[in-house]
């Protein structure tokens, strides 16, 4: 899509139609990705609120299939780096999904305090994901004779690329597509905005809108500061 935009700005003939078609395809892919993440959140919410613990245990146990499907294959250094990026992106998606589940549980309970059972089970899911990733990379390194120091080389290579890249495009280094998780986070924040909101109380509505405006302003300031901080940390690591 960005390449098509460049061609359109340069005035290439036919680039306008190609830009429109690429934008439509990108829109539907983003919507589909966001819907899949939301469905994942709904499945997780059903598992957490189910009286049978077997459903949640099944979701956790299915992660061990990932180990079986990964460690018995031949992996080279570039493929392992791709797997590392995939695991990092998966953790970010999982955090967005869990935040969605927790906020929806708060909305159904009509309380600003999350349920302790939901928090406990969410913590179990996160912990199991971390443990499974550690086991996966440990066994994968053992079967493929990959030394642990390769992850420090990955970190150095990532920092080199981060120093040379623009701050607004750092997420591309990890192959992280932020639009779909951003849609899920926006849906979560919308639910949080309407939580226990009395529409008839004008003062409460104004306070809530003002809080949203303040948060938005803070995020606008945090974004460039975070990008600059990441580049500084990367530069210090390389040097």
């Amino acid at each position: 899509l960005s390449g098509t935009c460049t061609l359109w700005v340069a005035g290439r003939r036919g680039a306008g139609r190609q830009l429109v078609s690429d934008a439509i395809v990108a829109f539907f892919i983003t919507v589909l990705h966001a819907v899949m993440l939301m469905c994942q959140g709904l499945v997780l919410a059903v598992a957490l609120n189910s009286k049978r613990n077997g459903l949640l245990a099944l979701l956790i146990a299915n992660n061990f299939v990932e180990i079986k499907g990964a460690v018995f294959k031949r992996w080279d250094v570039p493929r392992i780096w791709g797997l590392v990026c995939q695991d990092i992106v998966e953790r970010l998606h999982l955090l967005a999904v869990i935040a969605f589940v927790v906020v929806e549980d708060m909305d159904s309970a009509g309380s600003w305090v999350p349920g302790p059972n939901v928090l406990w089970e969410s913590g179990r899911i996160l912990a199991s994901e971390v443990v499974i990733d550690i086991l996966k990379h440990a066994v994968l390194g053992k079967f493929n004779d990959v030394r642990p120091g390769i992850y420090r080389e990955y970190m150095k290579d990532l920092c080199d690329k981060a120093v040379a890249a623009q701050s607004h495009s750092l997420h591309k280094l990890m192959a992280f597509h932020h639009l779909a998780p951003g849609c899920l986070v926006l849906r979560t924040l919308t639910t949080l905005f309407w939580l226990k909101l009395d529409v008839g109380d004008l003062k409460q509505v104004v306070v809530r809108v003002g809080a949203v405006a303040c948060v938005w302003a803070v995020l606008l300031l945090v974004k460039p500061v975070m990008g600059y901080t990441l580049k500084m940390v990367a530069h210090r690591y390389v040097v």
Side-chain angles (χ1 to χ4, degrees):
L1 182 60
S2 60
T4 309
C5 290
T6 303
L7 295 177
W8 180 71
V9 173
R12 183 174 178 178
R13 180 177 298 179
R17 293 190 298 272
Q18 186 177 357
L19 176 61
V20 172
S21 61
D22 289 348
I24 293 174
V25 172
F27 173 78
F28 281 107
I29 290 176
T30 302
V31 171
L32 181 61
H33 190 187
V35 170
M36 290 178 63
L37 288 178
M38 188 169 295
C39 291
Q40 182 181 354
L42 294 176
V43 172
L44 184 59
V46 172
L48 292 178
N49 294 310
S50 177
K51 295 182 180 179
R52 297 181 179 180
N53 295 327
L55 184 57
L56 182 61
L58 180 62
L59 290 176
I60 297 177
N62 281 337
N63 292 321
F64 287 95
V65 179
E66 183 180 354
I67 298 179
K68 181 180 179 181
V71 300
F72 297 110
K73 297 179 181 179
R74 189 65 184 175
W75 292 79
D76 54 7
V77 173
R79 289 187 64 192
I80 295 177
W81 165 243
L83 183 62
V84 171
C85 295
Q86 180 181 347
D87 291 338
I88 294 174
V89 172
E90 187 179 352
R91 295 293 81 75
L92 293 174
H93 287 175
L94 183 61
L95 287 174
V97 169
I98 288 180
F100 169 76
V101 172
V102 171
V103 172
E104 289 296 326
D105 180 76
M106 293 165 54
D107 182 58
S108 62
S111 173
W112 284 102
V113 181
N117 181 60
V118 174
L119 292 179
W120 169 252
E121 298 297 344
S122 300
R124 283 179 57 192
I125 293 174
L126 283 174
S128 65
E129 290 284 343
V130 173
V131 171
I132 289 170
D133 283 343
I134 292 174
L135 293 176
K136 179 176 64 178
H137 283 277
V139 178
L140 188 147
K142 182 68 175 178
F143 274 87
N144 293 275
D145 296 327
V146 177
R147 64 188 188 280
I150 191 66
Y151 294 96
R152 287 193 294 270
E153 297 180 9
Y154 288 154
M155 184 65 178
K156 185 177 183 303
D157 182 65
L158 178 62
C159 290
D160 288 333
K161 294 179 180 178
V163 171
Q166 298 292 330
S167 60
H168 63 273
S169 61
L170 292 177
H171 62 280
K172 296 181 181 179
L173 301 177
M174 307 298 299
F176 174 61
H177 304 283
H178 60 285
L179 292 179
C183 293
L184 184 60
V185 171
L186 183 62
R187 175 66 177 83
T188 304
L189 295 178
T190 302
T191 303
L192 196 62
F193 174 82
W194 290 104
L195 181 61
K196 300 183 67 174
L197 177 63
D198 185 6
V199 182
D201 190 351
L202 182 60
K203 181 179 179 181
Q204 186 179 5
V205 174
V206 171
V207 170
R208 196 71 63 91
V209 172
V212 172
C214 291
V215 171
W216 180 259
V218 170
L219 290 177
L220 289 178
L221 295 176
V222 168
K223 185 179 184 298
V225 172
M226 182 178 295
Y228 180 76
T229 302
L230 289 175
K231 292 180 71 68
M232 289 297 296
V233 171
H235 179 73
R236 288 177 177 269
Y237 190 88
V238 172
V239 175

